[in-house]
Amino acid sequence: MNEATTRDPDLTRSRILQAGFELFVDKGFAAVSMRELAQRSGVTKSLIHHHFGTKEGLWDAVKEAAFSRYYEGQKDELEGADAPDSNLLRNGVIRYFRFLQENPQVVRLFTWMHLENDSTCSEMDAELVALGARRVREAQEAGLLRADVNPTHVVTIFIHACSQWFEVRPQHKNWEGIGSDDEYLEDFLKIFMDGLAPGAAASETDSN
Amino acid sequence: MNEATTRDPDLTRSRILQAGFELFVDKGFAAVSMRELAQRSGVTKSLIHHHFGTKEGLWDAVKEAAFSRYYEGQKDELEGADAPDSNLLRNGVIRYFRFLQENPQVVRLFTWMHLENDSTCSEMDAELVALGARRVREAQEAGLLRADVNPTHVVTIFIHACSQWFEVRPQHKNWEGIGSDDEYLEDFLKIFMDGLAPGAAASETDSN
DNA sequence: ACACTGACTGACCGGCCGGTCAATTAGGAC
DNA sequence: GTCCTAATTGACCGGCCGGTCAGTCAGTGT
């Protein structure tokens, strides 16, 4: 009965943040009530207001915490990569896919944000994509990838193919013939990497 | 002043449906109130209850109307296609992309539904994908597409690449170096179609 | 002319919403 | 030990929420 009465504002804050993360990810901002948040985090409603001001304040804090975790992780991986070689893009896709696979809540959170036209993290987001696009351009200049496609689009395409997969997976699990996460990733990589091979443009010159 | 007093339940119903479509697409189910819906559709709150029962009832009706429009359109296009030829998949992607481009609200509606784990249209959805996958398989058997990828995944990939593009476009419009709708589509088609070409698998046998 | 059905209205309901506030209390600074 | 800051509480607020209901009224079948 000693630790129950002890005050620990940092722990309290993080408990509220965690409850907010779970509930907002699950139901979206509008469908969550302060009372629900209070109950889940085991504190009083007033205490949430004390620490975060308003419901929007907590929402912002939840988004920022989640996104900064995402941002740091992705940036480390992007900057830690070596000089361009033929497997760099492939490995980047795989790492991104694995990250989403292990953090499905992040996908949902970002989707809620997109629907609400939230631009909280647009600068960081843009920075990550620019970093990835630069890598692709380097590989293009080294002759490792076809040069007739926009590097930003290359990054965008694989981000979309990965994130949408996890966004809609619950609904599409019983589509006829659909495979596991790994099988989807494998097929995507086949098409994506071969479609980006330097010689890929040659095979189609007769059709149009 | 004569037509204002005339009753027309069908028109009323469709006006409520239209208002519901607009508001739900814009803000999501939870963030829309019955009073808002009544004001937008120019009728009384009670009248919405009279026609649709509850707020959920209206939401269901909105979803069903939107999805059945989508379903009919897509099915017509899929069944109207000719025998497999080398441009069939390419044209299918273009048509799907154009449809989303002209109906951005549908993308948002489906995204809200996915986040809410709504399975209202999962059977019809699965049917469309199965139809598309069958087309891909035919093309594979005719030697027009590489045969070492799951046809359902092929369809899934392009659906994801197209729908996610329109889902996040508002936020990503100012990404460094990102192009227009058409430029994105063009680059995606280059990578996608070349990656699916029958000879694509050959170029990579040495790397792994 | 009359009755019946259902479209339509406005007043009303209990309850939950996000937010406020005064009061209590624990913990750290000195 | 005292004081001050801030964490924490519970009672309370006005307002909006989804939904109901009795009643009015327009159109229709006979």
Side-chain angles (χ1 to χ4, degrees):
Chain A
M1 74 171 68
N2 49 356
E3 54 198 330
T5 51
T6 283
R7 293 186 175 183
D8 188 342
D10 289 343
L11 178 64
T12 301
R13 257 189 84 94
S14 74
R15 272 219 285 248
I16 297 171
L17 272 174
Q18 179 61 25
F21 180 74
E22 293 169 6
L23 286 171
F24 287 143
V25 159
D26 191 34
K27 314 165 84 175
F29 176 76
V32 175
S33 76
M34 293 297 287
R35 285 158 175 86
E36 216 174 350
L37 287 160
Q39 188 174 10
R40 172 79 67 111
S41 43
V43 303
T44 322
K45 183 164 65 80
S46 315
L47 196 47
I48 303 179
H49 280 111
H50 174 69
H51 282 290
F52 297 95
T54 66
K55 191 185 169 192
E56 272 85 4
L58 174 58
W59 176 223
D60 288 343
V62 165
K63 288 185 291 190
E64 210 209 283
F67 192 79
S68 72
R69 264 184 280 132
Y70 167 81
Y71 174 74
E72 295 305 328
Q74 292 299 312
K75 203 172 137 197
D76 285 355
E77 281 188 353
L78 275 165
E79 288 179 340
D82 328 296
D85 83 337
S86 61
N87 277 330
L88 192 131
L89 179 59
R90 174 186 212 94
N91 291 336
V93 173
I94 293 172
R95 276 199 305 262
Y96 188 70
F97 190 86
R98 295 290 174 223
F99 175 82
L100 298 186
Q101 192 177 32
E102 287 156 18
N103 298 276
Q105 299 159 319
V106 171
V107 181
R108 284 183 64 90
L109 191 78
F110 288 2
T111 307
W112 288 116
M113 290 169 61
H114 287 141
L115 281 173
E116 290 168 359
N117 294 318
D118 190 302
S119 58
T120 307
C121 1
S122 58
E123 314 92 34
M124 294 185 189
D125 218 358
E127 187 186 327
L128 288 178
V129 173
L131 226 64
R134 198 174 314 141
R135 291 272 166 193
V136 170
R137 190 178 295 109
E138 287 166 12
Q140 285 176 324
E141 283 161 3
L144 298 165
L145 297 177
R146 68 192 291 175
D148 64 337
V149 289
N150 181 331
T152 303
H153 291 170
V154 172
V155 174
T156 306
I157 286 168
F158 89 71
I159 291 178
H160 288 178
C162 294
S163 58
Q164 186 78 0
W165 169 260
F166 290 108
E167 185 180 318
V168 300
R169 199 171 48 144
Q171 277 71 39
H172 297 175
K173 237 172 183 158
N174 43 8
W175 276 4
E176 177 188 325
I178 206 155
S180 65
D181 288 357
D182 286 3
E183 286 160 354
Y184 172 79
L185 175 60
E186 191 184 335
D187 282 347
F188 173 71
L189 281 171
K190 279 182 190 169
I191 297 168
F192 186 61
M193 294 308 296
D194 290 347
L196 279 168
S203 65
E204 225 199 347
T205 44
D206 58 321
S207 71
N208 201 1
Chain B
M1 71 174 65
N2 47 356
E3 56 197 330
T5 51
T6 283
R7 294 186 176 183
D8 186 343
D10 289 344
L11 178 64
T12 300
R13 257 188 84 94
S14 74
R15 272 219 286 250
I16 297 170
L17 272 173
Q18 178 61 25
F21 180 73
E22 293 169 7
L23 285 171
F24 288 142
V25 160
D26 191 34
K27 315 165 84 175
F29 176 75
V32 175
S33 76
M34 292 297 286
R35 285 157 175 85
E36 217 174 347
L37 287 160
Q39 188 174 10
R40 173 78 68 111
S41 44
V43 303
T44 322
K45 185 164 65 76
S46 313
L47 194 48
I48 303 180
H49 281 111
H50 174 69
H51 283 290
F52 296 95
T54 67
K55 192 185 167 192
E56 272 85 4
L58 175 58
W59 177 223
D60 288 343
V62 164
K63 288 186 290 191
E64 210 209 284
F67 192 79
S68 72
R69 264 184 279 132
Y70 167 80
Y71 174 73
E72 294 306 326
Q74 293 298 312
K75 203 172 137 198
D76 286 354
E77 280 188 352
L78 275 166
E79 288 179 340
D82 329 296
D85 83 338
S86 60
N87 277 330
L88 191 132
L89 179 59
R90 174 186 210 93
N91 291 336
V93 173
I94 293 174
R95 276 199 304 262
Y96 188 70
F97 190 87
R98 295 288 175 225
F99 175 81
L100 298 186
Q101 192 177 33
E102 287 157 17
N103 298 277
Q105 300 160 317
V106 170
V107 181
R108 285 182 65 89
L109 190 78
F110 287 3
T111 307
W112 287 116
M113 291 170 60
H114 287 142
L115 282 173
E116 291 168 359
N117 294 318
D118 190 301
S119 58
T120 307
C121 359
S122 57
E123 314 92 35
M124 294 186 189
D125 218 357
E127 186 186 330
L128 289 178
V129 173
L131 225 66
R134 197 173 315 141
R135 292 271 167 194
V136 170
R137 189 178 295 108
E138 287 166 11
Q140 285 176 324
E141 285 161 2
L144 297 165
L145 297 177
R146 67 191 293 174
D148 64 337
V149 290
N150 180 331
T152 303
H153 291 170
V154 172
V155 175
T156 306
I157 286 168
F158 89 72
I159 290 178
H160 288 176
C162 293
S163 58
Q164 186 79 359
W165 169 260
F166 289 108
E167 185 180 318
V168 300
R169 199 171 50 142
Q171 277 71 39
H172 297 175
K173 237 173 181 158
N174 43 9
W175 276 5
E176 178 188 325
I178 206 156
S180 64
D181 288 356
D182 285 3
E183 285 160 355
Y184 173 80
L185 174 60
E186 191 184 335
D187 282 347
F188 172 72
L189 281 172
K190 278 183 189 169
I191 298 168
F192 186 62
M193 295 308 296
D194 290 347
L196 279 168
S203 64
E204 227 198 347
T205 44
D206 57 321
S207 71
N208 202 2

